[in-house]
Amino acid sequence: MKKWTLTSLLFLLCLLFLLPDQGRNIHANAEEDSDELANPPKIEDNLGAVPHGLSTDSDVVKRESESMSKKTLRNTAEKFEFQAEVSRLMDIIINSLYSNKDIFLRELISNASDALDKIRFLSLTDKEVLGEGDNAKLEILIKLDKEKRILSIRDRGIGMTKEDLIKNLGTIAKSGTSAFVEKMQTSGDLNLIGQFGVGFYSVYLVADYVEVISKNNDDKQHVWESKADGQFAISEDTWNEPLGRGTEIRLHLREEAGEYLEEAKLKDLVKRYSEFINFPIYLWATKEVEKEVPADDDDTSDEEETTESSSEEESEEDKEDEETEKKPKTKTIKETTNEWELLNDVKAIWLRNPKEVTDEEYTKFYHSLAKDFGDEKPLAWSHFNAEGDVEFKAVLFVPPKAPQDLYESYYNNNKASVKLYVRRVFISDEFDELLPKYLSFLQGLVDSDTLPLNVSREMLQQHSSLKTIKKKLIRKALDMIRKIAEEDPDENDGKDKKDVEKSDDDEKKGQYTKFWNEFGKSVKLGIIEDATNRNRLAKLLRFETTKSDGKLTSLDQYISRMKSGQKDIFYITGTNKEQLEKSPFLERLSKKGYEVIFFTDPVDEYLMQYLMDYEDKKFQNVSKEGLKLGKDSKDKEIKESYKELTKWWKGTLASEKVDDVKISNRLADTPCVVVTSKFGWSANMERIMQSQTLSDANKQAYMRGKRVLEINPRHPIVKELRERVATNPEDDSVKQTARLMYQTALFESGFLLDDPKDFASRVYDSVKSSLNISPDVAVEEEDDTEEPEVETKEDDSSPKEEADGVKDEL
């Protein structure tokens, strides 16, 4: 027993000494294993492909699995509330029944391209901002994780600081947010989201949780995350793989968005929407490749049996060859691998020969450039190369529709719609010196080989080549617009009719009318602003006339229809065509067969102050002085017979500030009208100026044209008035009639009455006279006796009475 006891004690002591060492060994092994996990070999290193940093190690997956599975914002993150407009926008997107959810990818790729453009531009003056190695590669990377349902889009662009993440993705809505929300509520077209600068939020069409990991050179790496529930969170990123620089967006896809985990779907979307992005777009694609591996023993044994059976028949020479060619037996198998696949390998359109580019490619390029992915094609495009002292390539497009705020912010909007490149390097899309304001609706790009790269925007603005580029662009743009009219069959009615009938290009029919309805105001503004190209722009003008039957007419067509001996182009301005057609100013002109242009846009009043003539023909406003319709042999005789009346009428209207009373040559059925002096404001212009918010009454009085009352000597009212004035010029009733006729003419001619009450009183007095009612009869007075108020008892007792009743019962 003692021996067994001693043996047991010795055994226990040995165990006690061995266990600490074993524990330390286990701990050391665990540390070695963790070190290996912390720096695992990347997938790309094994493949030998282009190394890109979208892979994550197992530690990262383990640390983030809980957060991602629950899709909750991290507790340690700093929380923010979305701005009201952003919340409204996200509510619209999340609850949208919009069928085309594909747009989210094109918006993210477009944003990534913008970020790459910015860092490349900064690198022109500071090459160190790009960094070295993978960071210097300007590209867009797309990667899928089907198990976790995560779609990642990564760029090596400029990246965002913490403040940028807050500003751009949450609290401070950009100006486009409200505009887009309003547009969505009216049209419901979510496809326009990219045009308003809020395309990022389209991610919530397919994702219910989004992470944005971003690193800017001026800040640490941060993570922005949100479930679109009214708030977002930002925290310093200490768990993801360092990006170096740029942004990675991780979309945790909804259950119904599983199609976007398919490589074929993503390839199709990139080809459809982002084919012409100027940076390479790579997809982490799965491929099957054939590979030779050592054959199994079973396979080799079968081959050996066959060779043994036929060995006796072989010659000695064959045996020698077989011995020399003996190699290890192998077989071919299919193996699944991953590698980065380039999705957009199309050469930039503007660098290609215009004859080699198809209409479909131009349309796709326009959609990508303008971020307009509707079904409509651009109305026209012009692709050209300029050579000589200044060399550049350019592509210009006429959009099918005008931007919503094209004229609302015409003078305040500095953003240009033509992108500037210098030697294939994007410089700016805010360089508004390439085209004048009135052509700002055009979309396109200019790539110059003459302009310098490493200069500031201010120095570039002063560069001598810029004026030459602008001049050529304007000429090409106007030629492109003119060509729309030339190719439109509707514009060629009456001339070259045979050629038009033979034309099978029906899609060009009505195209210029469409252009004019969208951008006609821009042409008019161009005539006002651009004196150099005023005549070219005047050829593009369109309008309706008294003989156009509701169709648009050009100045050339108007001149071709002018009557013999007609020296002036007649026009009239007003609120609308229907009102102008009934104007008394057109009576005599219509009877004599003259054509008159209708100008109904407020800007037309300003336009005609600059467009004084066209093809040696002067413009004449038929509501102003100076209208000449040929001489009448009886004019002098008529003027002499009405000399006394016109003199008396002018004196009677002395208080009305009437400059003169004359015999009219423009009236047929109306007794009188009021015209203005040739260089003063018309009645329509006065009304426009009075409606201005910051109008100055003193300046209006100075600019207002002198008013002239023109009377129709053939009208019975005017004839009777002449007789009465000759009999008794001091008759008050005749004077009242003369004043009433003037005020009526003033109103009918389009002027606003200074004293509407006085005019109304004269009308009522005239009505009394026609009804043989004495002007002294007073209005019957109202009976002021008040009736006593009768109190009505309500059936229901008041709450107080009910409470008192309850107390009594208690």
Side-chain angles (χ1 to χ4, degrees):
M1 281 297 289
K2 288 182 180 179
K3 289 181 180 180
W4 284 107
T5 304
L6 288 171
T7 306
S8 300
L9 287 171
L10 289 171
F11 180 72
L12 288 171
L13 287 170
C14 290
L15 282 175
L16 289 171
F17 280 110
L18 287 171
L19 280 173
D21 293 337
Q22 189 67 24
R24 281 192 293 271
N25 291 336
I26 292 169
H27 184 67
N29 291 335
E31 288 182 347
E32 289 174 8
D33 292 340
S34 65
D35 289 339
E36 290 175 6
L37 289 171
N39 298 289
K42 294 183 181 178
I43 300 173
E44 296 92 326
D45 295 337
N46 295 333
L47 289 171
V50 181
H52 303 294
L54 273 181
S55 62
T56 55
D57 58 49
S58 57
D59 281 349
V60 171
V61 173
K62 186 176 180 181
R63 285 195 296 268
E64 291 300 299
S65 60
E66 183 177 357
S67 174
M68 289 183 179
S69 61
K70 293 181 181 179
K71 293 181 182 178
T72 56
L73 304 184
R74 295 173 180 83
N75 294 327
T76 56
E78 188 177 355
K79 308 290 193 306
F80 298 88
E81 295 290 329
F82 280 112
Q83 196 182 37
E85 287 84 354
V86 178
S87 294
R88 284 174 60 202
L89 171 64
M90 294 172 79
D91 287 341
I92 290 174
I93 292 173
I94 293 168
N95 300 315
S96 174
L97 298 177
Y98 190 65
S99 58
N100 185 15
K101 300 182 186 298
D102 298 346
I103 63 170
F104 82 93
L105 186 61
R106 75 154 194 244
E107 296 301 331
L108 294 183
I109 290 176
S110 177
N111 291 345
S113 175
D114 291 343
L116 291 166
D117 276 328
K118 290 176 181 176
I119 196 65
R120 183 165 67 175
F121 181 69
L122 292 177
S123 69
L124 297 177
T125 52
D126 184 6
K127 292 183 179 180
E128 293 182 0
V129 298
L130 284 180
E132 299 177 351
D134 288 346
N135 286 338
K137 296 174 182 176
L138 302 181
E139 56 201 359
I140 300 169
L141 313 172
I142 304 172
K143 197 168 185 181
L144 295 169
D145 187 334
K146 293 187 178 181
E147 292 183 6
K148 294 185 175 60
R149 301 182 63 81
I150 296 175
L151 171 62
S152 300
I153 295 93
R154 161 83 184 276
D155 68 73
R156 301 185 189 278
I158 194 168
M160 289 180 279
T161 63
K162 180 181 177 181
E163 292 301 318
D164 291 336
L165 288 169
I166 296 171
K167 177 181 176 181
N168 296 335
L169 303 183
T171 58
I172 303 177
K174 293 186 178 180
S175 59
T177 308
S178 299
F180 174 71
V181 170
E182 292 173 7
K183 184 72 174 177
M184 266 295 298
Q185 290 173 342
T186 54
S187 67
D189 190 1
L190 194 62
N191 206 36
L192 300 172
I193 191 168
Q195 297 181 25
F196 293 87
V198 289
F200 167 77
Y201 300 106
S202 63
V203 295
Y204 290 103
L205 287 168
V206 297
D208 51 14
Y209 174 61
V210 178
E211 293 178 287
V212 180
I213 306 162
S214 195
K215 172 68 173 72
N216 183 281
N217 287 338
D218 298 331
D219 201 354
K220 298 178 181 178
Q221 184 165 308
H222 288 87
V223 177
W224 178 100
E225 53 183 331
S226 177
K227 293 174 64 179
D229 55 356
Q231 63 176 349
F232 62 95
I234 296 180
S235 51
E236 185 179 335
D237 189 2
T238 57
W239 56 89
N240 286 303
E241 181 180 348
L243 296 180
R245 188 197 64 253
T247 300
E248 180 182 341
I249 300 176
R250 294 177 183 171
L251 310 183
H252 298 255
L253 300 178
R254 299 179 181 181
E255 290 297 326
E256 64 271 20
E259 61 180 315
Y260 300 107
L261 291 170
E262 300 298 327
E263 293 177 10
K265 176 69 173 178
L266 298 179
K267 290 178 182 179
D268 178 63
L269 293 182
V270 171
K271 184 172 182 60
R272 190 190 313 170
Y273 293 123
S274 307
E275 188 176 10
F276 297 102
I277 293 292
N278 295 323
F279 299 96
I281 303 172
Y282 291 98
L283 174 67
W284 185 245
T286 303
K287 291 188 177 181
E288 284 190 349
V289 295
E290 292 185 350
K291 186 178 181 181
E292 288 192 354
V293 296
D296 296 336
D297 293 339
D298 295 339
D299 297 332
T300 54
S301 62
D302 292 340
E303 291 176 6
E304 287 174 359
E305 288 177 5
T306 55
T307 52
E308 286 175 3
S309 61
S310 59
S311 59
E312 296 176 358
E313 300 174 2
E314 292 177 349
S315 62
E316 292 181 0
E317 292 179 2
D318 293 337
K319 288 181 180 179
E320 290 177 2
D321 293 340
E322 186 179 334
E323 289 176 0
T324 57
E325 293 178 2
K326 272 188 179 181
K327 292 181 180 179
K329 299 295 182 180
T330 61
K331 65 177 181 178
T332 302
I333 62 169
K334 289 185 176 181
E335 188 176 49
T336 302
T337 62
N338 294 84
E339 63 181 24
W340 291 107
E341 181 181 343
L342 181 63
L343 302 183
N344 61 331
D345 54 354
V346 179
K347 185 180 179 182
I349 269 188
W350 66 91
L351 301 179
R352 295 162 61 185
N353 188 330
K355 295 180 181 178
E356 298 174 357
V357 185
T358 65
D359 290 356
E360 185 181 357
E361 286 178 311
Y362 278 123
T363 301
K364 280 186 176 181
F365 182 62
Y366 163 74
H367 287 155
S368 174
L369 183 72
K371 298 183 180 179
D372 174 11
F373 293 90
D375 298 329
E376 294 185 272
K377 295 169 59 177
L379 294 177
W381 55 80
S382 178
H383 181 187
F384 58 94
N385 300 333
E387 298 178 351
D389 296 337
V390 179
E391 295 185 357
F392 67 91
K393 300 174 179 64
V395 184
L396 297 176
F397 294 93
V398 178
K401 288 184 178 178
Q404 187 183 20
D405 60 344
L406 177 61
Y407 302 115
E408 292 174 8
S409 56
Y410 180 76
Y411 290 105
N412 298 325
N413 186 11
N414 293 324
K415 188 169 184 179
S417 51
V418 175
K419 295 184 177 182
L420 175 63
Y421 287 75
V422 175
R423 298 170 213 161
R424 270 64 68 198
V425 177
F426 175 73
I427 300 300
S428 176
D429 59 356
E430 297 181 356
F431 201 76
D432 55 354
E433 284 78 10
L434 288 173
L435 284 175
K437 285 278 187 186
Y438 68 89
L439 290 177
S440 62
F441 64 88
L442 296 178
Q443 295 283 345
L445 64 81
V446 175
D447 190 351
S448 171
D449 292 331
T450 310
L451 294 172
L453 267 175
N454 301 322
V455 295
S456 65
R457 176 191 171 112
E458 289 73 20
M459 291 178 66
L460 201 56
Q461 288 173 339
Q462 304 300 323
H463 199 274
S464 58
S465 299
L466 201 62
K467 289 183 179 179
T468 306
I469 293 174
K470 183 176 182 178
K471 185 177 179 181
K472 290 184 178 180
L473 285 177
I474 293 173
R475 190 181 73 249
K476 286 289 186 179
L478 297 182
D479 288 344
M480 172 176 61
I481 296 170
R482 177 179 50 80
K483 193 176 179 182
I484 301 175
E486 290 176 352
E487 295 178 350
D488 187 349
D490 289 346
E491 289 282 316
N492 293 287
D493 287 347
K495 64 176 182 179
D496 300 333
K497 210 162 188 178
K498 292 181 181 179
D499 296 336
V500 174
E501 288 174 359
K502 290 178 182 178
S503 175
D504 57 350
D505 200 358
D506 292 337
E507 66 179 17
K508 294 180 179 178
K509 187 178 178 65
Q511 287 292 85
Y512 195 78
T513 300
K514 184 177 180 181
F515 164 81
W516 184 257
N517 291 335
E518 294 291 334
F519 306 107
K521 190 172 289 187
S522 294
V523 175
K524 295 174 182 178
L525 290 169
I527 292 173
I528 295 170
E529 298 170 4
D530 190 354
T532 306
N533 294 290
R534 188 163 289 157
N535 196 56
R536 283 186 177 182
L537 287 161
K539 289 184 178 294
L540 303 176
L541 273 178
R542 295 295 183 273
F543 38 76
E544 291 186 54
T545 73
T546 52
K547 293 185 177 181
S548 65
D549 296 325
K551 295 181 179 179
L552 294 178
T553 300
S554 66
L555 286 172
D556 289 329
Q557 290 170 331
Y558 177 93
I559 291 174
S560 68
R561 297 195 294 259
M562 286 176 63
K563 290 185 66 175
S564 59
Q566 181 181 345
K567 296 181 179 180
D568 296 334
I569 299 173
F570 298 132
Y571 73 92
I572 186 171
T573 61
T575 307
N576 55 67
K577 176 189 170 185
E578 291 72 20
Q579 186 182 24
L580 292 177
E581 284 176 329
K582 301 172 185 177
S583 173
F585 296 107
L586 303 182
E587 291 175 354
R588 192 96 179 272
L589 289 161
S590 298
K591 282 192 173 183
K592 286 182 172 287
Y594 289 101
E595 187 174 9
V596 182
I597 296 170
F598 295 133
F599 283 132
T600 56
D601 194 335
V603 76
D604 292 335
E605 287 284 357
Y606 301 93
L607 167 71
M608 299 315 296
Q609 294 176 24
Y610 291 87
L611 190 62
M612 307 302 292
D613 57 75
Y614 179 79
E615 301 293 341
D616 298 325
K617 304 287 184 183
K618 299 286 185 183
F619 284 92
Q620 172 63 51
N621 189 333
V622 299
S623 68
K624 289 187 174 184
E625 282 186 314
L627 181 65
K628 296 177 182 178
L629 299 177
K631 292 184 178 181
D632 192 335
S633 58
K634 295 182 179 180
D635 282 351
K636 287 186 178 181
E637 184 182 338
I638 292 173
K639 286 181 181 180
E640 190 64 32
S641 64
Y642 279 88
K643 187 175 182 180
E644 185 180 348
L645 175 63
T646 54
K647 185 178 179 181
W648 171 86
W649 211 330
K650 181 179 178 182
T652 303
L653 300 176
S655 61
E656 301 285 352
K657 299 179 182 178
V658 176
D659 190 61
D660 203 357
V661 179
K662 294 181 179 180
I663 301 298
S664 178
N665 65 340
R666 69 188 88 209
L667 296 177
D669 304 317
T670 304
C672 54
V673 290
V674 178
V675 301
T676 55
S677 55
K678 191 170 181 66
F679 299 104
W681 284 346
S682 65
N684 188 53
M685 188 63 174
E686 277 192 32
R687 188 168 55 250
I688 292 171
M689 295 307 296
Q690 287 177 8
S691 65
Q692 300 296 317
T693 306
L694 303 176
S695 60
D696 188 335
N698 294 327
K699 288 184 179 179
Q700 287 181 11
Y702 176 75
M703 289 299 297
R704 191 173 68 178
K706 294 179 180 180
R707 295 175 181 177
V708 177
L709 177 65
E710 288 192 359
I711 60 175
N712 183 357
R714 298 170 185 83
H715 199 279
I717 294 178
V718 177
K719 285 184 175 182
E720 180 63 25
L721 203 59
R722 180 182 63 172
E723 298 298 328
R724 296 204 178 194
V725 168
T727 305
N728 185 8
E730 299 301 325
D731 189 344
D732 287 338
S733 63
V734 177
K735 289 183 178 180
Q736 290 293 336
T737 301
R739 292 192 185 98
L740 179 59
M741 287 182 67
Y742 169 71
Q743 290 179 327
T744 305
L746 203 64
F747 187 72
E748 190 177 15
S749 301
F751 292 93
L752 295 176
L753 298 176
D754 295 332
D755 190 353
K757 177 66 177 175
D758 182 59
F759 172 68
S761 298
R762 295 183 193 280
V763 172
Y764 294 142
D765 289 342
S766 179
V767 172
K768 282 181 183 180
S769 177
S770 66
L771 296 174
N772 295 322
I773 299 173
S774 174
D776 299 328
V777 175
V779 178
E780 184 179 347
E781 293 186 3
E782 184 181 358
D783 188 2
D784 293 336
T785 308
E786 295 184 1
E787 295 182 4
E789 294 183 3
V790 181
E791 295 183 1
T792 57
K793 293 186 178 180
E794 296 181 359
D795 294 337
D796 298 334
S797 41
S798 66
K800 186 177 180 182
E801 290 173 344
E802 290 180 359
D804 292 339
V806 173
K807 285 181 181 178
D808 292 341
E809 289 177 9
L810 292 173

